Amino acid sequence: MQMGWYDRKVCRVRDLSCGDTRIFLELEVRRLDCRSCGKVKRERLDFLADNPHYTKRFAYYVGRRCRAATIKDVAADLRLDWHTVKTLDQQYMEAQLARAGTPSPQVIGIDEIAIRKGHTYRIVVSDLLRGRPIWFGGKDRSEASMSEFYAWLGEKKSRRIRLAVMDMWKPFRLATQAHGPKAAILFDKFHVMRHLGEALDAVRKSEYGRLAGRDRRYIKGQKYTLLSRKENLTLDGRKALKTLLSANKRLNTAYVLKESFGQLWGYEREGWARRFFENWRASLKWQRLKPYEKFAEMIDRHWDGIAAYCRLENKVSLGFVEGLNNKIRVIQRRAYGLRNEDYLRLKILTCMLPEL
């Protein structure tokens, strides 16, 4: 492409601000006449942002501010248009992803998030060894949507995955088995314990319905006291829990069984873990805890995905996926919901990356 000199233009470019003082740079930018296409091209300067009225340094400053504040607040503080702040923030996040490089995960965590009401889901895949999300997409939480991740990752990298941590959602498991044949399936402890918490709550409801009059007063309003771990309760909560368990024998049994089940993930051999589960299951006999019996049947059906944690090479942090979900909820709540899905994708993929 042949270029000829055209003219020069003086531009005012905004740089970092200091308090209420806004700093501008005056640049002399050359404009060139392209003899191939007949258009006038402007000289490209590496230190300018995609928006030529701002420097990259200022764009990155805006991006760092947007990690902890809303676009509206940053725009008001820096006296910028809302759309300008959003554009600069997007450039900052794209630069973060470019620096992080192309992912090649060996251990992945899979979960879904609701992006709006009406059971509208998207899938989030994380690299558990590097501790960061690497993919956000799909149209729902179906097998076809999960397969989109493996198509994006590529066949070669998909075969390198040795462990996939997920909940007991069948489409995730089927897609992983189809595209990552070397990956062991491990069911997330927090999702399993959530099912057990739901079983305990079902027992609480049945006991509340069975009792009448003054016997109900110990159960009413104590749902979260019963579902919480004892060490997480306040002093008043522990007193209420002690009173509740003393007043109702069946709830006391259900609570002790729920607390003891967490030991399953502490075993280093599958045989020991299986023996513990069989003993735990046998203790349900004559207890009339139907929700617990259904839970035990579910664990038995999905045993391979739970026992995989007993192997030494599968000892990974199971709390990262749940912690990422909480972080995503904070991002959505801070912005009162993000309508632009591409912007939400950038926010999620960069939330664990270091600042530039």
Side-chain angles (χ1 to χ4, degrees):
M1 181 183 293
Q2 295 181 341
M3 306 291 290
W5 182 81
Y6 185 76
D7 65 359
R8 298 174 186 272
K9 183 179 181 181
V10 177
C11 301
R12 297 183 75 223
V13 180
R14 183 165 177 183
D15 198 15
L16 282 179
S17 298
C18 181
D20 293 333
T21 304
R22 289 182 287 178
I23 301 174
F24 291 90
L25 304 176
E26 286 196 358
L27 303 176
E28 192 177 71
V29 182
R30 292 179 296 179
R31 296 197 299 176
L32 305 173
D33 183 14
C34 179
R35 296 173 183 173
S36 300
C37 64
K39 295 181 179 179
V40 177
K41 304 287 186 178
R42 182 169 51 187
E43 181 182 16
R44 177 171 293 179
L45 301 176
D46 292 337
F47 61 87
L48 292 182
D50 292 343
N51 185 330
H53 297 291
Y54 305 93
T55 63
K56 277 186 180 178
R57 183 167 61 174
F58 181 72
Y60 292 176
Y61 171 73
V62 171
R64 288 192 295 270
R65 292 283 302 271
C66 288
R67 287 171 70 93
T70 63
I71 296 176
K72 182 179 178 182
D73 291 340
V74 175
D77 189 33
L78 299 179
R79 304 178 195 176
L80 292 173
D81 181 69
W82 186 92
H83 297 282
T84 300
V85 172
K86 183 178 179 181
T87 302
L88 295 176
D89 187 27
Q90 284 179 308
Q91 182 181 355
Y92 172 78
M93 291 188 288
E94 287 167 359
Q96 280 184 295
L97 290 176
R99 176 176 289 187
T102 305
S104 183
Q106 295 183 7
V107 180
I108 61 173
I110 306 170
D111 204 359
E112 75 278 353
I113 63 164
I115 61 171
R116 63 178 68 93
K117 293 181 179 179
H119 298 284
T120 305
Y121 296 101
R122 295 295 182 268
I123 300 173
V124 179
V125 182
S126 305
D127 184 340
L128 295 186
L129 295 183
R130 297 187 65 186
R132 73 178 187 96
I134 58 175
W135 189 79
F136 169 85
K139 301 177 180 62
D140 46 30
R141 52 178 185 163
S142 64
E143 184 179 350
S145 293
M146 188 66 241
S147 298
E148 291 181 18
F149 162 72
Y150 294 105
W152 169 82
L153 189 63
E155 182 179 354
K156 186 176 180 180
K157 290 184 178 180
S158 297
R159 290 182 175 275
R160 291 178 183 172
I161 299 174
R162 63 174 178 83
L163 181 65
V165 181
M166 63 185 73
D167 58 17
M168 289 180 282
W169 185 243
K170 188 176 180 180
F172 291 171
R173 185 173 74 252
L174 294 178
T176 301
Q177 290 171 343
H179 299 281
K182 296 182 180 179
I185 305 297
L186 175 60
F187 295 129
D188 188 6
K189 172 184 176 180
F190 294 91
H191 287 90
V192 175
M193 294 302 292
R194 186 180 301 167
H195 284 287
L196 183 54
E198 291 171 357
L200 175 59
D201 191 46
V203 173
R204 181 191 65 85
K205 291 178 180 178
S206 66
E207 286 298 287
Y208 186 80
R210 184 178 66 86
L211 300 174
R214 297 185 63 186
D215 293 334
R216 285 184 167 186
R217 68 184 184 275
Y218 299 109
I219 301 176
K220 187 174 182 180
Q222 298 300 325
K223 174 181 177 180
Y224 295 103
T225 301
L226 196 61
L227 295 180
S228 299
R229 294 182 64 86
K230 189 174 182 179
E231 58 265 25
N232 296 333
L233 293 174
T234 62
L235 182 60
D236 291 338
R238 293 186 182 188
K239 290 180 179 179
L241 177 64
K242 184 177 180 180
T243 303
L244 171 62
L245 299 183
S246 300
N248 192 292
K249 182 180 178 181
R250 190 173 296 173
L251 278 179
N252 181 64
T253 302
Y255 181 81
V256 171
L257 287 170
K258 190 264 290 186
E259 288 291 292
S260 64
F261 191 79
Q263 299 177 28
L264 181 64
W265 284 269
Y267 292 98
E268 297 182 355
R269 294 190 180 183
E270 183 178 346
W272 297 346
R274 185 69 193 189
R275 184 180 302 174
F276 167 81
F277 172 67
E278 292 297 343
N279 291 336
W280 186 90
R281 191 177 188 179
S283 64
L284 298 177
K285 193 174 183 180
W286 313 116
Q287 299 297 338
R288 293 180 295 172
L289 297 173
K290 289 292 183 182
Y292 274 53
E293 293 173 7
K294 292 181 180 179
F295 171 79
E297 292 172 1
M298 181 188 69
I299 295 300
D300 193 35
R301 291 195 306 269
H302 298 88
W303 177 253
D304 290 340
I306 296 173
Y309 192 68
C310 296
R311 304 187 192 103
L312 185 62
E313 65 272 16
N314 296 340
K315 298 290 185 180
V316 296
S317 174
L318 298 179
F320 179 83
V321 175
E322 196 66 22
L324 176 63
N325 271 352
N326 293 334
K327 199 171 188 68
I328 293 172
R329 292 189 195 103
V330 170
I331 292 171
Q332 291 176 305
R333 186 165 59 248
R334 185 173 64 211
Y336 294 95
L338 293 170
R339 298 180 184 179
N340 188 330
E341 196 167 315
D342 290 334
Y343 188 67
L344 175 61
R345 171 185 165 274
L346 288 173
K347 281 290 185 186
I348 291 173
L349 296 183
T350 59
C351 65
M352 298 292 186
L353 295 179
E355 293 183 351
L356 295 179

